[in-house]
Amino acid sequence: MKMYDAGKIIVGIIVFVTLITFPFWYNRGKAAPSPKPKLLTREKECVEPTPYMKTSHMRLLNEWRNSVVREGNRLYISSNGKKYSMNLANTSLSDSCMGCHSKKAEFCDQCHNYVGVKPYCWDCHIEPKEKR
Amino acid sequence: MGVSRRNFLKIAGISLLGLGAKPAYDVFAGRDLPEFAQGEEAREAKRWAMVIDTRKCRDKDGCQDCILACHRAHNVPDVGNSRQEIKWIWTEPYENAFPNQEHEFLEETLKHRPVIVLCNHCDDPPCVRVCPTKATFKREDGIVMMDYHRCIGCRFCMAACPYGSRSFNWGDPRRAPKEKNPDFPTNPNFPTRTKGVVEKCNFCEERLVAGLLPACVEACKEKALIFGDLGNPDSDVRKVLRSHYTIRRKPGLGTGPAIYYIV
């Protein structure tokens, strides 16, 4: 069997394969580092158990939002009976999300940048001022 | 053999179901479901309402205490453009506040008296009826509330409100001119709004749950704004209403305003 222009074709195939596999061998042996949210709070536990918070904090926030705005509630009694103020960003309440997790950039943003979500909440809710 | 194949399968199936129920039981048993509650200091009412004594405003011409207090508490910026202004509480000339209740030969002082106006928190609010997303709704205690999370900015409510109590954010409030809003946001503990949503007075719902009075009521040194529960015959508003002649804005429309005026 004869192959016309064999040289060009083979070079072309090599260039093509190299380009298409570029991301694989370029990142060889290096996984993107997983995010390390810094806790920076003296408290021992979150509003709900940590595994639940990891996976479902956005759902909890939606529940809080509806309960506060639509039902006029302000207190959340968690599954282990502790009371928290249902509030996202009010730092005068020590038991709001940002009351405990006071540095958004070092906590929330660490994960969110990694997974590429940008909650629009901060268009309205005011980020706690970073104190240095 | 006592057990037929058929019966063996039945028993085995039921036992498997039992095993499957165990994890479900583990999840729910011993862990109470979370609950929601009002704050302990929350003020409650059957029907919140306000009486505004415009005679007291007359004596303090140009006083802006209530307006500034409200707008600072709720991060309402001065956008510096009267066609796009955002206002929760403001003043109108008497004849604009009370059309059909004025005439050519009105008492001189009345004619020039600025009248404090705000959302009327109506009994039968037209804005609630037209809102396609239920972003605006009426609470049990009479407060006409906005859920900014649901507002899609369609402005039907603005067209429906006969009192002009609603403002639209034509731009991002955080980009309002800095020279007019040097310390915006003035209250870091209350969210701002964003471009493309409508906003209005919330009767300081967030202060009532904390046991406080509305910011405008608290700020008025003349005590021209009286706030309380219409459902309670001994409340401040009921006492004032009993002893004074009061009018409401555009009563003929049947919206049932909860803001009463002594003129």
Side-chain angles (χ1 to χ4, degrees):
Chain A
M1 200 184 81
K2 183 159 175 5
M3 197 175 185
Y4 298 100
D5 291 332
K8 284 188 196 158
I9 291 172
I10 288 167
V11 169
I13 288 175
I14 289 172
V15 169
F16 175 73
V17 169
T18 316
L19 279 180
I20 217 120
T21 55
F22 176 79
F24 296 98
W25 54 260
Y26 182 75
N27 266 341
R28 190 167 35 100
K30 283 181 283 175
S34 62
K36 294 211 172 42
K38 277 208 200 119
L39 274 171
L40 303 166
T41 163
R42 253 177 266 117
E43 302 292 329
K44 290 276 169 317
E45 53 182 12
C46 199
V47 176
E48 292 289 349
T50 316
Y52 175 83
M53 291 310 290
K54 268 192 212 236
T55 56
S56 310
H57 57 281
M58 43 318 229
R59 242 177 288 158
L60 181 73
L61 279 169
N62 278 0
E63 273 177 42
W64 279 20
R65 170 178 80 188
N66 287 342
S67 185
V68 169
V69 178
R70 304 196 76 89
E71 274 131 45
N73 293 322
R74 290 282 158 165
L75 274 185
Y76 179 76
I77 300 151
S78 74
S79 51
N80 64 8
K82 285 209 182 132
K83 288 184 185 164
Y84 295 92
S85 308
M86 283 191 279
N87 198 294
L88 173 57
N90 185 339
T91 45
S92 73
L93 302 167
S94 60
D95 54 354
S96 70
C97 300
M98 303 320 286
C100 273
H101 302 293
S102 56
K103 291 203 172 158
K104 176 169 163 286
E106 285 169 50
F107 185 71
C108 315
D109 291 356
Q110 290 299 315
C111 288
H112 293 167
N113 291 344
Y114 179 74
V115 293
V117 287
K118 216 167 173 300
Y120 68 98
C121 320
W122 308 105
D123 292 354
C124 294
H125 291 268
I126 297 166
E127 273 178 44
K129 284 232 167 57
E130 303 268 316
K131 282 179 229 113
R132 270 160 231 265
Chain B
M1 271 285 281
V3 188
S4 70
R5 202 166 96 115
R6 195 183 170 86
N7 276 338
F8 173 77
L9 285 178
K10 274 189 193 160
I11 291 166
I14 289 171
S15 317
L16 271 181
L17 267 185
L19 282 181
K22 171 115 183 8
Y25 175 82
D26 288 347
V27 166
F28 292 111
R31 212 179 144 222
D32 295 323
L33 287 177
E35 285 172 50
F36 303 99
Q38 274 205 325
E40 269 120 19
E41 320 86 17
R43 289 174 186 252
E44 290 176 59
K46 286 207 190 71
R47 178 69 169 104
W48 288 120
M50 187 184 283
V51 181
I52 298 179
D53 191 340
T54 63
R55 298 169 308 178
K56 291 186 176 156
C57 294
R58 174 190 50 191
D59 302 335
K60 293 269 292 180
D61 204 15
C63 170
Q64 300 256 315
D65 289 353
C66 55
I67 300 173
L68 288 177
C70 168
H71 288 179
R72 288 189 70 84
H74 298 113
N75 297 322
V76 178
D78 177 356
V79 297
N81 170 348
S82 66
R83 289 173 57 96
Q84 303 187 353
E85 72 185 338
I86 298 175
K87 46 200 185 7
W88 285 26
I89 175 168
W90 70 106
T91 60
E92 289 282 355
Y94 180 87
E95 65 265 29
N96 293 1
F98 301 104
N100 304 331
Q101 298 177 65
E102 32 82 50
H103 52 79
E104 198 181 340
F105 306 108
L106 210 59
E107 183 194 343
E108 268 308 303
T109 54
L110 258 193
K111 240 184 198 164
H112 305 295
R113 188 179 299 173
V115 179
I116 295 285
V117 291
L118 64 158
C119 171
N120 275 301
H121 298 279
C122 304
D123 286 337
D124 189 4
C127 53
V128 171
R129 214 175 323 146
V130 298
C131 179
T133 61
K134 290 202 162 68
T136 269
F137 59 98
K138 195 168 173 61
R139 305 198 330 175
E140 299 261 301
D141 59 5
I143 296 182
V144 176
M145 179 75 179
M146 264 201 77
D147 184 342
Y148 296 99
H149 308 98
R150 284 204 197 185
C151 179
I152 55 171
C154 73
R155 289 176 277 151
F156 285 7
C157 56
M158 294 179 69
C161 176
Y163 306 103
S165 299
R166 292 170 164 271
S167 313
F168 184 68
N169 284 281
W170 292 95
D172 184 345
R174 294 185 187 181
R175 301 236 186 114
K178 267 274 164 287
E179 61 281 8
K180 294 200 164 149
N181 308 278
D183 51 354
F184 190 84
T186 41
N187 178 3
N189 295 326
F190 195 80
T192 63
R193 268 68 58 202
T194 181
K195 182 175 175 172
V197 298
V198 171
E199 62 180 88
K200 71 166 196 80
C201 156
N202 63 351
F203 246 13
C204 281
E205 157 280 326
E206 85 285 3
R207 293 172 56 93
L208 293 174
V209 284
L212 301 166
L213 281 173
C216 55
V217 174
E218 200 181 87
C220 181
K221 293 185 207 77
E222 306 296 314
K223 305 248 176 303
L225 309 179
I226 301 129
F227 185 81
D229 182 5
L230 273 189
N232 173 5
D234 300 321
S235 68
D236 292 349
V237 279
R238 284 289 291 276
K239 279 184 208 148
V240 179
L241 287 172
R242 221 171 350 221
S243 55
H244 293 78
Y245 177 69
T246 46
I247 60 175
R248 293 188 287 177
R249 295 182 68 199
K250 306 187 183 174
L253 299 176
T255 55
I259 314 288
Y260 296 79
Y261 289 89
I262 304 174
V263 291

